[in-house]
């Protein structure tokens, strides 16, 4: 779950930077999931090949987003779902899904329903529950664990239990642990796999300042005005396997599952 700067305003590192840093950290593969398309994948795949890194092809799709582009929105509306292709056919179907979403909306405001998405999957995708704007985290924040459980049941019903993974991430924000605990409990009760991701928006902590500036540009606000919507620290960067294992030690196996998903 990694955004390049082709996710305009949401990713702050070039594909080449991400590939080089991932290789330096000893990662075996990286899933590029730019928003609503494969925009950064070609450059990343070329850079990854040069450093011996495998590319996982994916995208973070906007589910039934706004009907018009949310220009100037500090926190644009719409739920997100992270989808990874498991095969060439899965890649083709995911490209079709992204195209369908773009054609159904307009530039900057793609639209696709989760039911339509499920019809295109054909069992060739790994579906991750997504970031704070994913269906589970959104329901948990808005209405509590019971609503998040219903959101998970819906994903399982549409895509199949073997294809859905509940995503945990930790950027060092105050509520990360509480959210991860709640999502982990839901997944365990329903026998749905848990997976740890980085939910990356820049290659290294030093790029956080650029990410902040890009968020201000996207929302048409000053740095002071956008500050209240931004994360408190520079946690959305790539991490090594051992660091991920330490960070997610309370959830045994979730880092190993990340390797199994693409393997």
């Amino acid at each position: 779950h990694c955004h390049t700067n082709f996710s305009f305003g949401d990713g702050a590192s070039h594909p080449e930077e991400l590939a080089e840093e991932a290789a330096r950290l000893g990662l075996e593969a990286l899933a590029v999931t730019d928003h609503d398309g494969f925009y950064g994948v070609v450059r990343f795949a070329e850079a990854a090949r040069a450093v011996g890194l495998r590319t996982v092809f994916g995208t973070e799709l906007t589910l039934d987003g706004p009907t018009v582009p949310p220009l100037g929105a500090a926190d644009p509306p719409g739920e997100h779902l992270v989808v990874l292709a498991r095969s060439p056919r899965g890649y083709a179907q995911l490209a079709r899904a992204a195209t369908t979403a773009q054609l159904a909306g307009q530039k900057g405001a793609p639209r696709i329903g989760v039911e339509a998405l499920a019809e295109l999957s054909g069992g060739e995708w790994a579906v991750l529950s997504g970031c704070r704007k994913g269906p589970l985290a959104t329901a948990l924040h808005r209405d509590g664990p019971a609503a998040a459980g219903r959101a998970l049941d819906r994903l399982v019903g549409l895509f199949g239990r073997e294809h859905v993974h509940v995503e945990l991430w930790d950027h060092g924000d105050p509520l990360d642990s509480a959210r991860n605990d709640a999502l982990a409990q839901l997944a365990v009760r329903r026998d749905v796999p848990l997976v740890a991701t980085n939910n990356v928006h820049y290659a290294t902590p030093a790029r956080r300042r650029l990410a902040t500036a890009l968020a201000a540009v996207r929302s048409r606000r000053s740095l002071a005005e956008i500050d209240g919507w931004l994360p408190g620290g520079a946690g959305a960067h790539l991490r090594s396997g051992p660091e991920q294992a330490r960070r997610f030690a309370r959830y045994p196996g979730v880092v190993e599952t990340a390797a199994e998903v693409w393997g």
Side-chain angles (χ1 to χ4, degrees):
H1 183 172
C2 178
H3 297 284
T4 76
N5 59 352
F6 282 83
S7 290
F8 179 71
D10 201 42
S13 290
H14 295 290
E16 294 80 4
E17 293 178 76
L18 290 161
E20 290 170 6
E21 178 64 6
R24 187 189 73 81
L25 292 170
L27 301 184
E28 298 175 5
L30 195 62
V32 178
T33 55
D34 283 316
H35 286 289
D36 301 300
F38 291 132
Y39 311 108
V41 158
V42 174
R43 275 180 50 182
F44 179 84
E46 291 176 348
R49 188 181 301 114
V51 295
L53 183 72
R54 298 187 184 184
T55 301
V56 180
F57 297 91
T59 182
E60 185 169 345
L61 293 165
T62 302
L63 302 176
D64 284 335
T67 56
V68 295
L71 299 176
D75 189 14
E79 291 187 357
H80 299 167
L81 196 65
V82 176
V83 183
L84 309 179
R86 282 177 158 158
S87 66
R89 182 174 180 273
Y91 176 90
Q93 290 298 93
L94 189 49
R96 182 181 176 190
T99 301
T100 299
Q102 296 289 353
L103 292 174
Q106 56 179 299
K107 185 176 181 179
R111 293 180 60 81
I112 191 167
V114 68
E115 292 86 359
L117 194 59
E119 290 178 2
L120 293 170
S121 66
E124 301 289 342
W125 299 343
V127 177
L128 277 58
S129 59
C131 60
R132 68 179 182 86
K133 303 192 80 169
L136 272 61
T138 297
L140 180 67
H141 175 75
R142 186 175 56 214
D143 299 311
R150 291 191 293 272
L152 178 54
D153 291 339
R154 186 185 185 203
L155 290 179
V156 169
L158 288 169
F159 294 98
R161 190 178 309 276
E162 67 274 25
H163 302 301
V164 174
H165 297 75
V166 173
E167 181 175 350
L168 307 180
W169 74 97
D170 186 346
H171 288 172
D173 292 332
L175 296 179
D176 280 354
S177 293
R179 182 202 60 246
N180 284 340
D181 284 349
L183 293 180
Q185 288 178 16
L186 292 174
V188 169
R189 289 171 183 167
R190 288 163 172 78
D191 195 28
V192 176
L194 286 162
V195 61
T197 78
N198 271 345
N199 191 8
V200 168
H201 290 75
Y202 37 85
T204 64
R207 279 297 195 190
R208 192 249 180 163
R209 294 181 66 185
L210 177 58
T212 299
L214 290 171
V217 170
R218 183 197 67 222
S219 63
R220 298 183 178 180
R221 284 169 167 78
S222 69
L223 289 172
E225 291 170 330
I226 194 63
D227 187 62
W229 283 274
L230 298 176
H237 59 86
L238 288 168
R239 294 189 178 91
S240 68
E243 184 177 357
Q244 282 287 85
R246 289 193 299 271
R247 195 168 275 259
F248 291 95
R250 64 193 295 171
Y251 314 108
V254 297
V255 175
E256 290 80 0
T257 302
E260 293 170 3
V261 168
W262 67 265

